[in-house]
Amino acid sequence: MSLEQVVEAHGVRLRPFRAEDITDVVDGCADPLTQRFISGLPSPYTETDARWWIDAGAPAAWAGGGAAYAIADPATDRLLGTVGLSNPVPTRGQAEIGYWVRPAARGRGVAAAATRALSEHAFATGTARLELLTDAENGPSQRAALAAGFRYEGSRRSAGCNRNTGRHDLLAWVRLAGDPPGPTARLLPDLPDGVLTDQVVALRRLAPGDAELMYRLHSRPEVVANQAPPVPPTREAIERRCRLAESGWLTGDIARLLITDAASGEPAGSCGLSYTDVASGEASVGYALLPDWRGRGYATRAIRLLAGWAFGPAGMARLTAGTVPDNTASHRVLERAGFEREALQRGRLPGLAGTRLDDLTFALLPTDLR
């Protein structure tokens, strides 16, 4: 692999670091978000650290067979961030790609553009496989990976290390030299304008700030009783669920949504959808409402909205919902939305103390949606 010193593509310039970049390197590396997601950075990050990076750190990356580029604005040549290659394995034609972007340059597609530019240059000079590792809670970085044509490949257990939280898993995103150009298609596309609504009920993606509400909802005895196994969640588990909601959406694992009253914006409950069989286009749905919002048809409306999105933009072919046999209220919700009873699977679900629970399954096809 023999990389050029300057690469211009996709609206960014990749060039060597210079002494005049010191202030901007400090701006980027001292930022709390950068500090949170990039391990090994000194804290606090000072001009001395930036000078060491420019004089020794970046040249060492090049000498070790990798790369360390400054991302610059082509119009002004001012530093916007950095992108580089590390952990090269020449015999396998692979390397790891990483980046950070200054706070003022975020939200403009800089990371995705720089990653695309360096990836294409690396492939043109002999690299066959690039791997990009992200923190599971770093949604913007995962979006950049997808926009640059990387595909989610799985979780690297305990591959990351943070000074505050210790070792943790990282998500692996991979692009091959032979992959098609352009962004990666997603199993779970974003909601149109970030919301689904029928003007009575509105659905939006679950967010970290919803943790208190979600804990209050999913620890209610009647909600716990209708899940398998019927064990109340911990607050920590709910907080993590909310923090990982965007990641679950981007990896295609699960779409978690908050149900709100469209007029007031007040939260009414939650719902979700996850694939059970990607190849056949089948997914399952679930939902729960707070007591004050029950009996108003909100759950049925939410399921109709979710199903319309699933059969439309998400391109699914079939939805299922599993319920415990005595949850008649949930059965009525599903039937009003158009679901039909399909099977009673005896002992399918885990219960308490080694017991098993029956699962009454409902199914919905696009032609069934009411």
Side-chain angles (χ1 to χ4, degrees):
M1 179 173 65
S2 178
L3 298 174
E4 297 175 6
Q5 288 295 299
V6 178
V7 177
E8 289 208 32
H10 303 297
V12 294
R13 174 181 297 152
L14 310 184
R15 60 161 175 79
F17 284 90
R18 299 196 292 256
E20 52 264 40
D21 294 328
I22 287 178
T23 299
D24 288 335
V25 171
V26 173
D27 177 53
C29 290
D31 176 69
L33 198 62
T34 308
Q35 289 273 327
R36 177 184 175 190
F37 291 125
I38 297 183
S39 61
L41 289 176
S43 181
Y45 195 94
T46 67
E47 287 191 3
T48 300
D49 300 311
R51 189 173 292 108
W52 174 88
W53 169 252
I54 293 171
D55 293 341
W62 285 98
Y69 286 101
I71 308 170
D73 184 329
T76 64
D77 204 38
R78 182 170 179 180
L79 183 135
L80 303 175
T82 185
V83 65
L85 301 176
S86 61
N87 300 321
V89 185
T91 56
R92 297 182 180 178
Q94 70 180 43
E96 183 181 324
I97 193 167
Y99 46 78
W100 57 256
V101 175
R102 289 178 49 222
R106 292 173 188 158
R108 294 160 39 185
V110 170
T115 302
R116 285 184 65 193
L118 181 52
S119 298
E120 291 167 5
H121 185 47
F123 292 143
T125 53
T127 299
R129 170 186 163 93
L130 287 174
E131 188 172 84
L132 194 161
L133 301 179
T134 70
D135 190 290
E137 296 182 18
N138 192 349
S141 187
Q142 294 166 42
R143 287 184 177 273
L146 287 161
F150 284 69
R151 302 182 191 180
Y152 175 61
E153 193 170 83
S155 179
R156 289 285 191 86
R157 295 194 306 155
S158 199
C161 185
N162 182 284
R163 65 171 60 91
N164 296 317
T165 59
R167 301 206 67 87
H168 57 277
D169 297 349
L170 293 177
L171 305 184
W173 308 79
V174 172
R175 184 175 174 186
L176 306 180
D179 284 344
T184 298
R186 287 166 44 193
L187 289 175
L188 300 173
D190 287 327
L191 303 180
D193 299 320
V195 66
L196 299 174
T197 184
D198 61 1
Q199 309 310 315
V200 176
V201 166
L203 309 182
R204 65 160 173 82
R205 193 179 68 232
L206 200 66
D210 299 321
E212 178 60 34
L213 167 78
M214 288 290 286
Y215 180 71
R216 181 157 49 92
L217 170 62
H218 289 277
S219 60
R220 293 192 60 84
E222 72 277 14
V223 175
V224 173
N226 288 304
Q227 65 185 25
V231 177
T234 64
R235 185 179 295 270
E236 180 182 12
I238 291 294
E239 290 174 351
R240 181 166 176 78
R241 180 186 301 177
C242 293
R243 293 198 306 271
L244 295 180
E246 181 171 15
S247 178
W249 206 293
L250 296 175
T251 60
D253 288 338
I254 187 168
R256 298 187 189 276
L257 303 100
L258 194 73
I259 304 171
T260 66
D261 175 63
S264 66
E266 287 294 313
S270 71
C271 61
L273 175 152
S274 59
Y275 271 100
T276 51
D277 189 335
V278 173
S280 65
E282 180 181 282
S284 65
V285 300
Y287 49 88
L289 284 183
L290 290 164
D292 289 348
W293 298 96
R294 295 171 190 165
R296 306 189 192 189
Y298 275 42
T300 299
R301 288 177 176 274
I303 292 301
R304 286 179 187 144
L305 286 168
L306 186 56
W309 172 80
F311 292 141
M316 297 174 187
R318 168 182 159 90
L319 295 179
T320 65
T323 70
V324 293
D326 61 355
N327 189 359
T328 55
S330 186
H331 303 164
R332 288 194 295 270
V333 166
L334 294 169
E335 289 168 343
R336 284 195 295 266
F339 281 75
E340 295 187 10
R341 299 186 184 215
E342 197 163 78
L344 176 65
Q345 301 178 77
R346 295 181 301 155
R348 178 177 178 270
L349 303 172
L352 296 175
T355 62
R356 303 293 299 182
L357 303 173
D358 294 346
D359 183 16
L360 180 58
T361 304
F362 291 72
L364 181 76
L365 302 181
T367 53
D368 299 329
L369 185 60
R370 296 171 186 164

